[in-house]
């Protein structure tokens, strides 16, 4: 059974950068589609970025050009989210997720489509 563990969150000033990591424990067969989500109190968990296949990716509009999702291709054991030019509205709990979704489904998958989740890491941006 796959388990995920995020790290790298913290508190940074607006305009700064953070890099989140998500360690994958267990077999990677169920991590064909992986993603980063974020959630603030009272709001639904939002997809930030997804990755599948030969490094195909999608991003929510608000982070395009600022965030980059990637993973360690040699082992598929670590997922990353490089976050640059951070804004106060990026403040949230960030989660990584994994699922055995088809490539077509992964591109637009919402939180309900992913079966495996990490515990989350808090990102706080201040002005």
């Amino acid at each position: 059974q796959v388990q995920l563990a995020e790290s790298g969150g913290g508190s940074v000033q607006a305009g700064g950068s953070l890099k989140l990591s998500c360690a994958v424990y267990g077999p990677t067969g169920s991590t064909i589609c992986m993603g980063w989500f974020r959630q603030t109190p009272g709001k639904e968990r939002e997809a930030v970025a997804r990755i599948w296949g030969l490094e195909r990716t999608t991003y929510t509009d608000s982070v395009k050009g600022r965030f980059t999702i990637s993973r360690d291709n040699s082992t598929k054991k670590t997922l990353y989210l490089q976050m640059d030019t951070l804004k106060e509205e990026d403040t949230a709990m960030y989660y990584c997720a994994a699922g055995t979704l088809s490539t077509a489904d992964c591109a637009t998958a919402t939180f309900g489509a992913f079966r495996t989740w990490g515990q989350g890491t808090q990102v706080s941006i201040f002005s």
Side-chain angles (χ1 to χ4, degrees), residues 21-109:
S21 298
C22 173
V24 179
Y25 299 97
T28 57
S30 60
T31 60
I32 294 172
C33 173
M34 296 196 73
W36 285 99
F37 287 72
R38 64 187 180 187
Q39 189 171 24
T40 55
K43 292 191 176 181
E44 190 172 278
R45 195 166 294 188
E46 170 194 33
V48 174
R50 309 170 192 85
I51 188 167
W52 71 95
L54 295 176
E55 306 311 284
R56 297 191 66 185
T57 59
T58 56
Y59 298 89
T60 192
D61 286 346
S62 63
V63 307
K64 284 180 181 177
R66 301 189 298 119
F67 289 13
T68 303
I69 187 172
S70 63
R71 58 185 168 185
D72 176 359
N73 277 322
S74 61
T75 64
K76 297 287 195 289
K77 287 292 189 179
T78 309
L79 179 73
Y80 303 101
L81 184 68
Q82 176 67 46
M83 305 187 294
D84 298 317
T85 320
L86 283 160
K87 304 177 180 179
E88 287 184 75
E89 51 263 44
D90 295 319
T91 295
M93 183 71 79
Y94 283 71
Y95 300 89
C96 68
T100 53
L101 305 174
S102 69
T103 55
D105 290 339
C106 186
T108 57

